[in-house]
Every structure is written in structure tokens, then in C-alpha cells.
Amino acid sequence: MAGKILNFGSLNIDYVYSLDHIVREGETEASFDYQVFAGGKGLNQSVALARAGGRVFHAGRIGKEGRFLREALEENGVDCQFLLTDDGANGHAIIQRSAAGENSILLYPGANHQNTREDMDRALAQFGEGDVLVCQNEICETAYLIEAAFRRGMQIAWNPSPVTDIIQAVDFHMVSWLIINELEGQAITGESSPAGILAELRLRYPALRTVLTLGPGGSVYQDGPLILRQERYTVPVKDTTAAGDTFLGYFIQEAARAGAEPSAVQHALKLASMAAALAVSREGAMPSVPTREEVETELAKRER
């Protein structure tokens, strides 16, 4: 039976502006649409984990204007007993979305950078061996959080995004799953090719399980000498904002539930890839995350 999943992660208010193209330096462009969504890598990943079937707890901080973020998590079955309210501003993102479905994101951390080590200790006290910690780089004290969870025997899934100096402070030997894209892989390893990134990570951290997402090239999983590949499912693209978060949520939930056997991991990659494809075919961040029933139905349809 799968353990509990604690996502100590960011919660943002997404202000989304739809444009013909992403604004260039020195350019002014009118937006033809404006929407507000619940978002943040942490929140999106918690919703994906829950919709994939996980028993998910979310920890972190919101500002006073972020109460609807708590409601969004709870409506998706996420336990928010470790979610605190801060007196300051909520974290938020200004997102430009082009007509082609690509996006550009400006982040303000707000309450996401008000988490304390004491907050983390209180939440982690309710978890232990067999449970999973999910974390990103949109909150503060990531290195402390990973070390504290490791001491408790938890498995750790880390998505080091956005890439910051924190990667110098984290002991990668404590990480169970590293989920990265090519740009993040290059920043961590100094290698530019997918093969070079994976080879360097294996050399430095032999026990690390890595998932490298490659956009149109699908994804690659590495666990020691084991390499598994998964193609991308092609869909009409509307909005790529939460694709990576959806992929992570589905992959980690299934991998934590089913174990490290190659066939189980390959299935986790397949679920995650289809979930991400469905997400980019819809608008918004959190609202675009599909349910497990939707993912499995679409997979069955394509495999017939």
C-alpha cells in the first residue's frame, strides 16, 4: 500500500494575459484576454497527485487574498491541515500566454518565502518511512526540508525549478527522484545533451532515479543502468502552463504506489505523458489537470 504524500510547495495566484506573442524587451502589446487562476508549482502538483489517486497533504503558506487556493486544494481531496496563512502578500505569477500556446512567467514569491524551519518540522513530524516528500524551488529552506525529510526515512521527489543557487546547498544523495527538463539538467550538470546530462548524473549520484523531460522528445527515466523512454502523445496545444507539474504528479503517485520494477515505471511514464498531453490541450494551470479516469480512458482509446 502506498504511503502518504506530503507536498511542501508553493501556492500562487496566476494572473494570465493572452497575447498574440510573448512581449519582447521594450515592446508594449495589448492583451485580448485576462483570467485569474489558482496556481503555483506546488499547488498544481498536489492537485495532479490527488487526481492521480494519491493520499496528499499540502504544506506551505498563503496570504490573506489566497484563501481560495486552500479551497481549491480541498475541493480536490488534498488535506490542508499543514497550510498556514501569512499576514503578507500571497505568492503570485504574471503569465503571458501566446496564441501558439507557449508561455512566459514572472514570479513573486510572497508568502511562499515565509515558511520557517519550525513549520517544516511540525509538518514532517506526522510522516516517516514509506511516505513521500514532494518539493520544488518556489519556496524557501528547500535544502533544510530535504535533509529533515531524509532523516525521517521519507522518499524525496525534487523538482529543482526554477533553478537557483539552492542546487548548490542540496545533497543530491538524499533525493529519491529528480524530475528535470533539459534546461534544468544543463544547469545542474553543465552538459547540454540528454545523454550527457544523464551520464553525468549517474556518475555523480549512482543511486539517483532521474526523470528527464524532453518536450517533443518525450521523457527518459534513468535508474542506474536502467534506461526507459516514453514518447510524447500528440494533441492540439492550448496552454502549456501546468504540463510539467501534471507529469510529475502522475509519475510520482504511480511510481510510489507501484514500485521500481521496470514495467511499473514504464506504466508510470505512460500515465504521466498522457496526463500532461491532456493538460496542454486545455486552458489554465490547475483546471487543466485531468482526472485518472480521463487519462486511462484516453490511453485505452489510443491503444485500441
Side-chain angles (χ1 to χ4, degrees), residues 1 9 31 57 71 84 109 124 138 157 166 172 200 218 221 224 299 301:
M1 179 179 178
S31 170
F57 298 75
E71 294 170 0
L84 305 176
L124 289 171
E138 288 185 353
I166 196 66
F172 281 66
E200 184 64 21
Y221 171 87
L299 274 175
K301 186 188 303 181

Side-chain angles (χ1 to χ4, degrees), residues 199-222:
E200 184 64 21
L201 286 170
R202 184 183 175 192
L203 179 65
R204 296 184 193 179
Y205 317 108
L208 181 65
R209 288 168 282 178
T210 300
V211 181
L212 178 62
T213 58
L214 303 171
S219 56
V220 184
Y221 171 87
Q222 175 176 270

Side-chain angles (χ1 to χ4, degrees), residues 103-143:
N103 63 74
S104 176
I105 303 174
L106 171 66
L107 285 175
Y108 174 71
N112 293 312
H113 276 199
Q114 300 305 314
N115 294 296
T116 67
R117 295 184 176 188
E118 289 74 22
D119 296 340
M120 294 173 177
D121 289 338
R122 279 193 293 271
L124 289 171
Q126 305 303 313
F127 299 84
E129 190 170 349
D131 296 329
V132 175
L133 170 72
V134 175
C135 56
Q136 319 81 31
N137 281 0
E138 288 185 353
I139 65 169
C140 56
E141 296 286 3
T142 303

